[in-house]
Every structure is written in C-alpha cells, then in structure tokens.
Amino acid sequence: MSFKIQNGQIIPSQGNHGKVERKPGGDFERLYLESLKKTKETVKLSAHAQERMEKRQITLSEEDMVKINDAVDTLEKKGARESLLLYKDAAFIASIRNKTIITAMRNEEMETITNIDSAVSIR
C-alpha cells in the first residue's frame, strides 16, 4: 500500500483504484503459453493435392490424417523439409516446414521423385 500527502495529511492511496497489479510471467501465464506451444498444427492439403486426390480417387479419413500428422511431426523433429509420404496405396509429397501436402498420386504412378530430402512409410 502506498500513501500520499494531501493538505498536509497522510492519506492511504489505492494505487490502481483497488485493483491488484500483477506482473507478467506468473504461473498461469507460463502454463497457458506452454499449452499453446503444445497445440498441434494440422497438415493442410494444397489445392493441387486436393485436385489430384479427386482425380485419382484417393480419400483420407480422419484417422488417416492423424497418422499423416504424426509422420509429419516426426519428420519435422528430424529436420526434414520436403518429404515423400507412403501411405496405404498412395504417395504424397509434403512440405514439412509448411505442414502442407503438395501433391498426391497412386503408388503405381510413381516413377521418378525429385526435390525431396526424406521419405517415410506410414503404417
């Protein structure tokens, strides 16, 4: 509590009109920021990948996307940038940094794959 002098008298002062001033960086704020960091960013499908998937009749369920997300997270931790993801009977090229599937094809369509630095077979 602080005091002020008014008309020669000492008067208790309520600094912030009775509000308690809190310093940033308390436990709640720290825990909240940590939980935000743990929130996973999900893999997106580019317009091109969506078009290729429709054309080639490749469908992904929510469970499939979870497995692909996990694989992308693993690749990111290992420093991958552009990866080939083999899943079921399909192959996907993904930008790991952007968490985006760039294109999709059937396994039997794969001949030459360039500009990737990693590959993973998702089970």
Side-chain angles (χ1 to χ4, degrees):
M1 179 179 284
S2 61
F3 298 91
K4 64 180 180 178
I5 298 176
Q6 188 175 24
N7 296 331
Q9 296 182 351
I10 299 175
I11 301 171
S13 174
Q14 296 288 340
N16 291 326
H17 303 293
K19 295 179 185 175
V20 176
E21 185 177 330
R22 298 187 190 267
K23 295 180 181 178
D27 286 336
F28 176 79
E29 183 180 10
R30 181 182 52 78
L31 291 171
Y32 177 71
L33 293 174
E34 285 176 4
S35 71
L36 286 178
K37 288 178 187 176
K38 290 179 185 175
T39 305
K40 279 186 166 181
E41 183 181 337
T42 58
V43 173
K44 302 174 285 287
L45 295 171
S46 70
H48 177 75
Q50 289 176 4
E51 180 183 310
R52 296 289 185 188
M53 288 173 67
E54 286 175 24
K55 180 179 176 185
R56 294 170 169 135
Q57 298 177 348
I58 299 170
T59 58
L60 295 173
S61 69
E62 195 171 316
E63 182 181 323
D64 296 333
M65 288 303 292
V66 168
K67 289 180 180 182
I68 290 171
N69 268 313
D70 290 344
V72 168
D73 287 343
T74 300
L75 289 164
E76 183 178 37
K77 288 175 187 171
K78 294 184 180 275
R81 294 182 311 269
E82 303 287 329
S83 297
L84 171 65
L85 311 174
L86 301 171
Y87 184 62
K88 294 184 177 178
D89 62 341
F92 305 95
I93 304 294
S95 168
I96 304 304
R97 288 181 183 168
N98 299 331
K99 293 197 180 245
T100 303
I101 294 177
I102 299 167
T103 194
M105 64 197 90
R106 294 271 177 205
N107 284 342
E108 60 267 9
E109 295 175 301
M110 280 193 312
E111 288 183 21
T112 303
I113 306 293
T114 60
N115 297 329
I116 62 168
D117 60 21
S118 55
V120 65
S121 178
I122 304 168
R123 297 171 202 251

